[in-house]
Amino acid sequence: MKCRVCREPAVIDIRRHNANFCSEHFLRLCRDQVAKAIKDFDMVQPGDRLLVAVSGGKDSLAVWDILRELGYEADGLYIGLGIGGYSDESGRMTKAFAEQRGWPLQVIDLREDFDYDVPTAAKVTKRVPCSACGLSKRHLFDQAAVDGGYDAVVTGHNLDDEAAVLFGNTLRWQTEYLARQLPVLPARNGFPRKVKPLVRLGEREMAAYCVLRGIDYIVEECPMAAGNKHLGYKDALNTIEAQSPGSKQAFYFGFLDRAVARFADGASDGSDDSGLGTCRSCGSPSSGEICAFCVLVERSAGAQPVVLTVKGSS
Ligand code: Q46
Ligand code: ZN
Ligand code: ZN
């Protein structure tokens, strides 16, 4: 197995590109793919300040590393979700990563700063954990970006993630979600721009990137994700990909090229928030007097904490 570029021994094969790469040329490929995604989708302008949502997993640490390698001004924000041992470990890894490099990392801890955690909020508000978690993360990342004067929030969603979300949305023809499934969402009505520069790279490539760059990341998955639909969609797509390499890329980028505009033009895309006011409690854009995040905090703060009994809770 030889590198496509230099013919030296290869360390990874990428079946959808029908090519093998040595370490140096694989790392370059990852940077090139991020640069291409940024350019193709006009994600970032020169001089933009970026806030990277870091979780301690391979994707978010890798995207932070790649953006810095490409010369962007990118700082990190980590949110301690209070999901037992999983959160302890991911927080430790994220802080170590930032410290070793001397990169600015802002840390918010739900328990310390807002007196709740994801498992407790889920129980109290009768939401599934990922819903309470997603609402908290979206709000806090948006607010930190606006308060810190950042131009965009960066997340580490990769091709496998986006193809799986698209698969789920397509299965149920959730047109309002399909309309918004672009790797860049412009700033609007007080919300910052959101960008996903890893959409041209897969999960396996991100793991390889971290190993080759010596990035220590949390391998364990969030224990709350076990059994969720998203993982099932990923498995299904992996089965298809194994038989027909390139299917995920064709599915996702074919959608962006040929279909997404139809959903945006036609049906309401669910993003009409032009009539938004501001939350009386936190000042964020909100359709109600109090935003959904503040309602969640109000109901969860101070409630008897839920003790996790699942793996990762120790
Ligand atoms: S961290 Fe939060 Fe994820 Fe865990 S509770 Fe669900 S949303 S699975 S990316
Ligand atoms: Zn090479
Ligand atoms: Zn609020």
Side-chain angles (χ1 to χ4, degrees), residues 188-313:
R188 59 187 165 78
N189 297 321
F191 293 106
R193 191 188 331 146
K194 315 264 174 71
V195 300
K196 299 175 180 172
L198 293 187
V199 286
R200 300 188 59 83
L201 292 161
E203 201 129 277
R204 183 168 159 267
E205 285 119 67
M206 296 333 295
Y209 180 89
C210 287
V211 171
L212 293 171
R213 289 280 291 166
I215 295 172
D216 214 5
Y217 64 91
I218 182 159
V219 178
E220 189 191 339
E221 295 281 345
C222 170
M224 301 279 163
N228 79 12
K229 285 194 193 118
H230 187 67
L231 293 183
Y233 297 147
K234 275 192 173 176
D235 286 346
L237 287 174
N238 284 341
T239 305
I240 295 168
E241 182 79 17
Q243 284 171 5
S244 174
S247 295
K248 275 182 223 176
Q249 181 155 339
F251 178 50
Y252 178 64
F253 285 96
F255 167 76
L256 293 182
D257 280 348
R258 301 197 287 277
V260 70
R262 297 172 192 238
F263 296 102
D265 289 339
S268 157
D269 70 356
S271 64
D272 180 18
D273 42 22
S274 50
L276 281 185
T278 46
C279 169
R280 193 156 48 85
S281 175
C282 72
S284 293
S286 168
S287 50
E289 225 179 289
I290 307 269
C291 75
F293 173 77
C294 289
V295 169
L296 179 116
V297 176
E298 207 173 86
R299 293 181 60 192
S300 317
Q304 177 73 24
V306 167
V307 179
L308 286 183
T309 50
V310 289
K311 185 171 159 269
S313 62

Side-chain angles (χ1 to χ4, degrees), residues 82-101:
I83 305 176
Y86 166 77
S87 286
D88 298 341
E89 183 71 353
S90 61
R92 196 184 58 71
M93 286 186 151
T94 305
K95 287 170 204 164
F97 175 88
E99 262 164 38
Q100 283 158 11
R101 290 159 181 78

Side-chain angles (χ1 to χ4, degrees), residues 1-4 10-22 26 29 204-205 208 245:
M1 199 163 98
K2 287 188 175 147
C3 172
R4 175 199 263 182
V11 296
I12 186 166
D13 66 307
I14 305 183
R15 286 182 65 202
R16 74 171 183 284
H17 292 316
N18 200 14
N20 310 314
F21 297 91
C22 71
F26 172 70
L29 172 102
R204 183 168 159 267
E205 285 119 67

